[in-house]
Each structure stands twice: as C-alpha cells, then as structure tokens.
Amino acid sequence: MKKEKTMKLTLPEEELMHSGNLACQGCGATLAMRYALKALGQKTALCIPACCWSVIDGPFPYSTLDVPIFHCAFETAASSASGVKAGLEMVGDTETTVVAWGGDGGTFDIGIQALSGAAERDDDILYICYDNEAYMNTGIQRSSATPYGAWTTTTPVKHFKNRPKKDIDAIMAAHRIPYIATASIGYPEDVFKKVKKAKEIKGTRFLHIYAPCPTGWKSRPEDSIKLARMVVQNAIFPLYEIVNGETYTLSIKLSQKKPIADYLRLQGRFRHLKESDIQFMQDEVDRRWQSLLKKCGP
Ligand SMILES: Cc1ncc(C[n+]2csc(CCOP(=O)(O)OP(=O)(O)O)c2C)c(N)n1
Ligand code: SF4
Ligand SMILES: [Mg+2]
C-alpha cells in the first residue's frame, strides 16, 4: 500500500484571516497579516490607518479578519492604538494586544509624529509596519521607504529616486523602546516568532515587515516569496532584533551574501538602472551590512 504523505505545519493551523479579501495576486501585505495574526491570536484589536490594508479587509459589514479593526486617519495609527489601549484598561481589559498596523507611508512619513510620541511615552502598544516601499493604495507614489534607484509615479525613470531609504529602525532604536525587529514574509517562522515575542513584552514594540507588492514593483505575483527571501540573502533587508535600543542580534547569518543584481532584475521598477547605478547601490548595501555586523558583535 502506498504510504500517505503528511505535511508538518511549522505555524499554528488556526486562521484569523480568510479568503475573499480584496488584495492583488501575490500581495505580501496579506501574508504579513496572516502570519502576524497566527501569533497574536483572537484577543487582538487592530488600528489600521489609510493604506492598502484598509481596503484589503473588505467593505463594511464584511471583513476578512476575525479580530476587531478600528479604521483610523492616516497619521493616527499609533495615537489611536494608545487610545484604544487606555480605553480597554479603563474597562478592565488588560489582556487584549492592541496593534497599530500601518504601511510604510503611514509609518515612515505621515504617522511618524504619533509613533514617536507613543514610543517616547513607551505606551503599551505593538506597532507593525508592513513595508511595500511606496504609497501603493493611491497609485504608487514615492515614500521615504522607497529604495534608491526605484521608479514610482512621482519618481519617473528620468528622475528615479535618488535618496536612500530612511532608516526607520535606527530612528525607533533612538527612542530606546524595549523591542524592535525586522522581518520578511519570505521567512514565515521568523515573522511568527518575532510577533509572538513582541506580544509578551510590555511597552512600545516595533516590527518592520518587508512585504513585496507586485502591482507597485512591476514584479510577477509568483515571485513575491522569492523576492522576500532574496532581499534578506543579499542584505538589502537584513533580519535582526534590537532590545532596549542598544542590543542588536542578527536573526539570519549570511555565510555568503548574494549580489543585489538578480533581485533588482526581477522588478520592473528597477529596469532603467545602468550597471554603474547597480554598482553604487551594491557598495551602499555592503557598507550598511558591515555597519550592522559591527553593531551585532561577534
Ligand atoms: C491625511 C491623508 N493624506 C492622504 C491620504 C490618501 N492616502 C490614503 S492611503 C495612502 C497611501 C498609503 O501608503 P502606505 O502607508 O505606504 O500604505 P500602502 O497603500 O502602500 O499599503 C494615501 C496617500 C489620506 N487618506 N489621508
Ligand atoms: S497594491 Fe500592492 S500592497 Fe496593495 S493590495 Fe496590491 S499587491 Fe498588495
Ligand atoms: Mg506602502
């Protein structure tokens, strides 16, 4: 008799996110939410500012998620979460994890004042930024998370983005909050582990999740996971944790760092780059990688 194959699940089976959502094919932001909710569980309240995720969820009264969502104004993810947390405590609920869930535009740019305020007060919230490196919901405009060299509708090919991505993790580290981590949807177990860890810590926790966007990156939907792994392996988006703003730990060590060119080639947003542009970007990645290794120590 033929032996039946069994698949070993590395993440809990329970799903708090369901099919029928409104995301594009291959959307990394949906996987970020799916994995995060597996770690957070039912006792979670989300504050979602204007972003793709305020649409993905579906029109009221429908929702693809099994947890409550407060759809808040673009710049208020962190302050809304602080308010919801304070309100819950007043009615005796100390168990619910209050999560601000924002895109890179809502985090790096427009919501940074509210985020900085919450972090400085060390409000007891978990802030998760899914980073698709532009304002996607409104038609692919540049954000300060857009990487050097990228095309967007506001950085057209002739004037591609000529500034580096803002180092939001260093900015958050400067607030000396208890926990910061980078993660990528290409490494689901790592996302799960970090969300779970963040959930158990008190104070402001910040998670930065890399989430490919085929629509905005002009990449193939079936390449999203591949890109989310390559970006870690070439050290454009290394995975690490920062405790109390000081102690850096690398989550995935790289014995051989891959060159960035293969990653860039899979995305139409980088199609215009010349060899010299790519070399400039490679040098920058190498320099930042060395600097991170120094912070992580032996
Ligand atoms: C105050 C304000 N300004 C602008 C907008 C329009 N707006 C809605 S979503 C969005 C883009 C959000 O980008 P990001 O946070 O990166 O999330 P993404 O759409 O990429 O998922 C913009 C500009 C708004 N809703 N409110
Ligand atoms: S535009 Fe990008 S981030 Fe938004 S739903 Fe589509 S794939 Fe996801
Ligand atoms: Mg975005």
Side-chain angles (χ1 to χ4, degrees):
M1 211 170 77
K2 212 173 159 196
K3 219 178 166 192
E4 221 175 89
K5 272 192 186 162
T6 52
M7 191 168 35
K8 195 169 164 259
L9 291 176
T10 52
L11 296 182
E13 210 170 329
E14 190 193 15
E15 296 285 359
L16 292 170
M17 177 180 160
H18 302 286
S19 56
N21 65 69
L22 301 181
C24 317
Q25 268 188 359
C27 174
T30 53
L31 289 177
M33 179 68 87
R34 187 175 166 211
Y35 301 149
L37 284 180
K38 279 176 181 284
L40 289 164
Q42 188 92 61
K43 277 207 162 287
T44 302
L46 295 172
C47 295
I48 304 187
C51 59
C52 273
W53 247 108
S54 48
V55 178
I56 292 171
D57 170 52
F60 183 82
Y62 304 105
S63 175
T64 189
L65 303 183
D66 274 347
V67 296
I69 304 173
F70 175 40
H71 286 284
C72 56
F74 199 13
E75 53 280 74
T76 67
S79 46
S80 297
S82 297
V84 169
K85 179 70 191 173
L88 287 174
E89 275 182 356
M90 281 186 78
V91 295
D93 178 347
T94 51
E95 273 179 52
T96 301
T97 309
V98 181
V99 179
W101 180 275
D104 50 290
T107 304
F108 287 57
D109 297 336
I110 194 160
I112 197 167
Q113 179 236 35
L115 173 58
S116 176
E120 190 276 329
R121 293 186 300 270
D122 199 21
D123 286 350
D124 192 18
I125 61 166
L126 169 54
Y127 194 108
I128 303 184
C129 170
Y130 69 94
D131 185 1
N132 54 24
E133 304 193 313
Y135 293 80
M136 295 308 182
N137 186 40
T138 40
I140 325 171
Q141 293 87 20
R142 148 214 216 276
S143 78
S144 59
T146 302
Y148 178 95
W151 161 92
T152 65
T153 54
T154 47
T155 49
V157 162
K158 273 196 179 162
H159 305 279
F160 64 73
K161 178 143 184 235
N162 65 357
R163 293 287 302 148
K165 186 182 179 92
K166 186 190 275 184
D167 191 347
I168 191 73
D169 310 301
I171 293 171
M172 294 315 294
H175 289 74
R176 296 172 192 278
I177 53 175
Y179 187 69
I180 297 164
T182 62
S184 166
I185 58 110
Y187 292 86
E189 291 88 355
D190 185 67
V191 175
F192 177 83
K193 202 178 76 191
K194 285 169 175 168
V195 176
K196 195 124 190 116
K197 185 166 175 182
K199 182 186 165 184
E200 304 308 327
I201 295 170
K202 229 179 140 47
T204 307
R205 299 88 81 195
F206 182 78
L207 282 180
H208 179 191
I209 307 183
Y210 177 88
C213 166
T215 308
W217 296 7
K218 308 298 170 206
S219 55
R220 298 188 313 169
E222 60 268 40
D223 282 343
S224 290
I225 303 292
K226 192 174 179 183
L227 288 169
R229 292 182 76 83
M230 286 172 108
V231 80
V232 173
Q233 290 161 7
N234 63 23
I236 288 181
F237 195 94
L239 302 187
Y240 58 96
E241 297 172 290
I242 313 171
V243 172
N244 297 329
E246 277 177 358
T247 312
Y248 283 65
T249 312
L250 211 53
S251 313
I252 296 194
K253 293 191 173 138
L254 304 175
S255 52
Q256 250 199 326
K257 193 161 67 59
K258 302 257 169 67
I260 64 168
D262 297 342
Y263 164 84
L264 300 178
R265 254 181 239 120
L266 289 176
Q267 303 169 65
R269 63 175 174 157
F270 294 118
R271 195 164 31 211
H272 51 277
L273 294 178
K274 297 197 289 284
E275 280 305 314
S276 54
D277 298 322
I278 295 175
Q279 190 53 55
F280 173 79
M281 289 162 74
Q282 181 69 66
D283 292 345
E284 190 56 19
V285 169
D286 295 348
R287 193 186 60 74
R288 288 183 54 79
W289 173 242
Q290 286 310 319
S291 152
L292 178 64
L293 286 182
K294 263 189 216 148
K295 285 183 191 158
C296 293

